[in-house]
Amino acid sequence: MINVVIASQNPVKIKCTEKAFSEVFKEKVFVFNGINVPSNVADQPMSDPETLLGARNRAKNAESAKPNADYWVGIEGGIAETEEGEMIAFAWISIISKHQKGEARTATFALPPKITELIHQGIELGVADDMVFKRSNSKQSNGAVGILTHDLIDRAEYYRPAIVLALIPFINPELY
């Protein structure tokens, strides 16, 4: 059994990690565990570097909390403002093992002006989504990406390709 620790207890992050690892390593048997660990960045990271740091910190903090696992996965959602003043959302994935690391970023998408306005007021994206779209705890279900795409891409499916991409060094260890 290969033990994978996800640095979150959010069911969306656990589900997408399970799916990605099972697709990449078809012949392997995994046990997945989610734990709460800090990102050591703001609750709402506001830049690409801060979001990447949050994912890295989550993976490292998961490793410190559960040192006997085989993989530790940090997933951190963030936002950034473009030069045109538009706000975009994305996430970073950081996966570490005892001998390897891999990182990848999701695709980006633009946030609506009403959400951007709330974020400028210091409100976290998930809370802003719930306020604008009259939802409750959307970040543990379809998230902003699911709401805005009318569930063509839900939050778990949004993260999954980036997790697969972050696993490239583990799939091809001889190249890394």
Side-chain angles (χ1 to χ4, degrees), residues 10-13 15 77 89-90 109-112 115 124-159:
N10 183 321
V12 170
K13 293 180 179 182
K15 176 183 172 184
F90 54 89
F109 61 95
L111 296 171
I115 301 241
E124 188 180 346
L125 175 58
V127 175
D129 288 339
D130 289 345
M131 291 169 68
V132 170
F133 297 108
K134 312 266 188 276
R135 304 270 179 115
S136 177
N137 203 18
S138 60
K139 70 182 186 177
Q140 288 202 0
S141 60
N142 59 352
V145 70
I147 294 168
L148 293 170
T149 64
H150 299 256
D151 288 322
L152 290 172
I153 302 171
D154 67 16
R155 198 165 179 221
E157 187 54 32
Y158 176 65
Y159 289 147

Side-chain angles (χ1 to χ4, degrees), residues 33-66:
N33 294 295
I35 62 168
N36 279 328
V37 294
S39 67
N40 304 114
V41 298
D43 287 342
Q44 180 58 75
M46 295 295 290
S47 70
D48 194 62
E50 183 182 19
T51 306
L52 175 56
L53 180 60
R56 286 175 175 166
N57 289 344
R58 284 187 189 281
K60 288 175 188 169
N61 289 337
E63 180 183 20
S64 294
K66 299 283 185 181

Side-chain angles (χ1 to χ4, degrees), residues 25 36 96 98 161:
F25 303 108
N36 279 328
I96 56 176
K98 296 207 185 311

Side-chain angles (χ1 to χ4, degrees), residues 100-116:
Q100 191 67 269
K101 81 168 190 169
E103 296 175 334
R105 195 175 107 161
T106 65
T108 60
F109 61 95
L111 296 171
K114 284 183 182 178
I115 301 241
T116 298

Side-chain angles (χ1 to χ4, degrees), residues 69-90:
D70 298 293
Y71 294 92
W72 300 271
V73 179
I75 303 172
E76 188 73 19
I79 52 181
E81 211 151 345
T82 66
E83 291 176 12
E84 297 81 26
E86 184 177 62
M87 195 164 282
I88 57 170
F90 54 89

